[in-house]
Amino acid sequence: MAKTLLDLNNISKSFFTEDIETKALKNIDLVVSQGEYVSLTGPSGCGKSTLLSILGLLDEASAGVYKLCDIDVTNLSRDQRAAVRNREIGFIFQSFNLISDLTVEENVMLPLTYNKAHQNIDMKNLAKEMLAKVNMGHRIKHYPAQLSGGQQQRVAIARALVNQPSLILADEPTGNLDSENATAVLEILDQLHRDGTTICMVTHDSRCVERVNRAVYILDGEICPSPPSPPLLPNTGAAPKPAKACKQAATLD
Amino acid sequence: MMTHLILDMAYSLRLLRKSPSFTALCVLVLAGGLAVSLFTFAFLYTLTNKPLPLPDQSSLYRASRDWYGEAFGESRYLPAYEAAAIRQQATVFKEHGIWQNKTVYLSQGENNLVVSAVRSTANIFDISRSGPLLGRLLHPRDSQPDQTPVAVISYAIWQSQFAGNDEVIGKQIYINDVATEIVGVMPKGYRFPISHDLWLPISQQLLHPLSTQREKVELFGRLKPGVSREQAQQQVLSLAEQSFSQRAETWPGVELIRAKVDIFQRFDVSTEMKIFSYAMNMLAFFILVLAAINVGNLLFVRAIQRNRESAIRIALGAPQWRLISQLMWEGVIITVLGTSIAVFISSVLLHAVNIYFRSLMNNELAFWYIWEMDVTVFSAALAFAVATIVIACFWPAFRAARQDFNRVLRDGTRGAQSKHAGFMSRLLVTLQISAISIIMVLGAVISTKVHNLTDMDLGYDVKGISFSIVELPESAYPENTDKSLFFERLQRALFNSQAFSGATVRFNHSQLPVAVGGVEYQRDADKPKVQVFSMIGSSEFMGPTLVAGRELDSRDGSGRAPAVLVSSSMAKRYWPNDSPIDKQIEVSLQAKVLRLNIVGVVSNTTNNPFHKKESYHEIYLSGLQFPMQRGTVFFEKTSAGVLVEDNFFRAINAIDSKLDILTIEDWELEADAIGKMTVTFRDTIVICGVFSLILAMSGIYGITAFSVEKRSQEVGVRRALGATDRKIMGLFVRQGSRQLIIGLLCGCLISGLMMFGLSSIMAIPSVVYLVIYASVIVSLTLIVLAAVIIPARRAVNLLPAVALRYE
């Protein structure tokens, strides 16, 4: 049985506006094993993006315990969370979120510059390698504004992968793409899954849901006990590789 | 880590290159603020604190004591006998010497010139740790009466009078008609103790421990290691008191009030100068703060605009310090550029000041007054740069790095302004309002005061007038009759000379209580204090001039009933509907109570530019009856071509060739120089004020307009919900007013406290303060309202549909 990568136990998130409490997430219990490909779906405002933010350590839960790679990350300091994010998590956003004043290569190198362990590695080569993986090796000196949406998203994927994270969090990765580019991006994600990467993806897109091996349906801040229909495994023609394990031991420095 | 910092720096450089106008604006604003602060600091530092360019200068001190006497008022005066006693008994000094400032007439062949000389103990050179360039230094035996008179000359005199001839040693010159041998030449730049070019041995009589000489001398030396200034001061006072008490009967009505021992170059810096220097440095500091806040505003706005980028970096795992460092780099580069420009501008200005002051002051500036970009000023530039980095770079970056990045990533709103960012903007605007109100008040008050000084009519016609201060040695002129005889002869000699058309000698008895005849006074303290002078010869050629009655003349000589002239202001004040002629006043002078008969009224004058001559009361007695040891001789040259010094020294040497004078000055030139300096100073303050106002206007407008613009979508929502334009405008004006009121309150409070501290030297009528404060409040209100209303009007004029989509 695959090892647990992330474990949410009784996670709740509330927002307060003056005296009014809005519960975005209510007692979420979720376990994702290494190598799983999970989608988070649900109607607008159901709390899926909030859940993704908590998973990505961009936001803190109001209650509950969140363990990532067996480490309780619920109460980490800002810089400790930044370090975990940098090492263990890769983000893919709907709007790509590339930095417009950095070249493609520099955008991909960016996570490496925040990682103390990567001080002596050849960051440029690693970035080139990742860009080659997503077929963007020929555009390394370009700026994001010079690329199409699909190309930008591929660069964003390369950036998410450059630190070889344990977990990829994708927030509507195909939301801003035409169907051709969306298919290309999904194929890259499929390949990552096959290579053993754990992926959690927020999506409305049924084409995405069709490709994951577990769909989590959220409604009104709660995981729906009986999802509308079980997702089908895509027929990729090849069995997934062993899942990528967490890179770090049970301590945080 | 280095690689990462270099990457961040390269990225910041790229961003700055991409926005050249933003970069130029920030650099110029900062360079302006830094240049003003740096220049002001360097200028005042040189005037008040600059170390002497001498070895081991920090232990070099000067000492004197202050006294108060009817005949002198409060003055700093160390008589030679007291200095001798202090030198003999003081244990706080490792080494010490005395000197006297003199102005002498140096003749060498056909060449004659007036030279600023010093008569001093031979150890003056040892104490200043300096050796000769040629020849030898003074020796203690040179002070013996039977020795050939000798002199050490400065490098400048050696060059100008002897063309740098190495054989100058042993040559003979004439000092006030006394043949003197040159024994040494000092190195270039050496003008110790103040701005002297000639060193002569001091009279042996003044050095003797049992000396009874009362001539004014200056005491200087080095304190022993471990002795504090306070300890030295205490010992000097105690020794001065001891010596003074032994001869108290020779100083009737005089009391010793304090001793002063201070670092050599700070000795003559008055309390007023210190306060003024403090005020000017504060003004410059606030201009720097304003410039830093402005650049901080600009960088903060830019950082906020890059919120999304920061959020992405956070999501990618950037630690907080990396984000702050990355956001700071732009500011750091701007600060480095701004500081470099400011250092360059300040260096040029300091160089210009050096040339300007040296030309105005006729080479009489103290030798350490060299305005330049030295190590201290450069260190100050670095300190200012670090302070700017903290205010303008670190703080905005720190605040910007603490935005709600999750919200930015979720919303996708590029400029999503958090509660923190909004608070920061409001705080910066409030700080700017406070800073500019302080600058405006301080600048307006100082420039008003300086402007008043430039327009001040002291009541004298200085055209063609020169003056000399002559101090008669007590030993040669012990009695009043000796003194009056000397000064009368000098006045006549000058008056009868072809070179001069007028001459008068004036003695200053300071401000004394005067009893006006017919008025009953319960106590002495109730009597009005008026300025008391005595004079020999008519002052019609320069003022004061006769308005009524007669002048003082030979009828008022020794043994006659004392007569007095009063100023018009005094006549108007005490005899408003009557003539003061033949009325009586009473004054205590030289240990006698004098009943004086008023024989004339003269025009108003004042010696103090801080006083209005119309409210400054003066009386004039006959100098033939009440002479003093020290007198100021005023004389008017007949034509521009007259050799003033030459003729003056001829006249004085004809009476007493051994007499040194303290100084000889061209009053017209001096007044012109002071006038020019004052105008330059006033204009500089006005330029700084205008620069600050532009800074503040652009800063306040920029940040307020940005804050209002960021709320365009909110305006759209409010309008969609039915808010009227008036309601929306009212909302913005209310919010702007809050910042304005808080900023003005803080600014007025701080400036009010500063004005209270400066009140002793400013002496500006309350109504002027009211006008200044009202103008500052009105102008800042208009600026803030414009900064709110113009962008708010623009936001209100957007179609609601457009405003709702505004990002």
Side-chain angles (χ1 to χ4, degrees), chain B residues 344-417:
Chain B
F344 174 75
I345 293 172
S346 304
S347 303
V348 172
L349 287 176
L350 290 171
H351 184 66
V353 162
N354 241 347
I355 295 171
Y356 182 62
F357 276 87
R358 275 178 206 289
S359 66
L360 278 182
M361 301 290 288
N362 197 23
N363 212 23
E364 284 175 9
L365 277 176
F367 72 99
W368 61 89
Y369 284 175
I370 302 166
W371 287 276
E372 61 187 352
M373 186 57 62
D374 59 14
V375 176
T376 310
V377 179
F378 193 73
S379 306
L382 292 182
F384 289 163
V386 171
T388 307
I389 286 173
V390 173
I391 299 172
C393 311
F394 174 73
W395 199 37
F398 179 75
R399 302 294 306 191
R402 295 184 74 83
Q403 302 297 307
D404 184 353
F405 293 112
N406 189 36
R407 195 180 132 200
V408 176
L409 283 172
R410 260 206 331 260
D411 295 355
T413 313
R414 194 168 60 110
Q417 224 182 337

Side-chain angles (χ1 to χ4, degrees), chain A residues 95 97 101 106 113-114, chain B residues 14 18 308 313-314 322:
Chain A
S95 49
N97 279 344
D101 292 306
E106 287 167 338
T113 67
Y114 298 136
Chain B
R14 188 187 303 170
K18 225 175 129 183
R308 189 176 181 80
R313 288 175 184 272
I314 287 277
R322 273 296 301 280

Side-chain angles (χ1 to χ4, degrees), chain A residues 26 28-29 41-43 215-228:
Chain A
K26 299 168 195 164
I28 298 282
D29 290 317
T41 56
V216 175
Y217 190 79
I218 301 170
L219 189 64
D220 296 334
E222 290 175 297
I223 294 180
C224 206
S226 48

Side-chain angles (χ1 to χ4, degrees), chain B residues 599-732:
Chain B
V599 295
V601 179
V602 290
S603 59
N604 294 321
T605 60
T606 176
N607 284 348
N608 189 337
F610 289 88
H611 293 144
K612 272 190 173 177
K613 72 177 193 304
E614 288 73 18
S615 51
Y616 192 67
H617 305 326
E618 296 172 315
I619 61 171
Y620 299 84
L621 292 90
S622 168
L624 298 172
Q625 294 172 331
F626 305 102
M628 291 172 74
Q629 199 177 341
R630 177 185 289 209
T632 308
V633 187
F634 296 90
F635 41 97
E636 183 183 36
K637 59 185 173 190
T638 43
S639 67
V642 165
L643 297 172
V644 172
E645 287 95 354
D646 197 69
N647 283 288
F648 180 76
F649 275 97
R650 258 182 234 287
I652 216 160
N653 287 339
I655 305 168
D656 183 348
S657 65
K658 288 181 183 166
L659 191 67
D660 298 330
I661 62 161
L662 294 182
T663 181
I664 181 164
E665 310 277 350
D666 186 322
W667 198 5
E668 185 181 356
L669 276 182
E670 196 175 81
D672 188 46
I674 291 170
K676 276 182 187 162
M677 276 192 273
T678 320
V679 168
T680 309
F681 184 61
R682 180 199 61 192
D683 293 350
T684 308
I685 293 176
V686 170
I687 290 168
C688 288
V690 171
F691 171 69
S692 314
L693 194 60
I694 292 169
L695 272 185
M697 275 167 66
S698 58
I700 292 170
Y701 184 85
I703 197 84
T704 311
F706 177 74
S707 307
V708 173
E709 195 188 308
K710 295 310 295 176
R711 294 172 66 184
S712 294
Q713 195 185 28
E714 180 195 324
V715 171
V717 173
R718 285 177 186 273
R719 291 186 68 203
L721 295 176
T724 59
D725 292 359
R726 204 186 150 128
K727 282 247 177 214
I728 294 170
M729 293 295 288
L731 175 81
F732 285 117

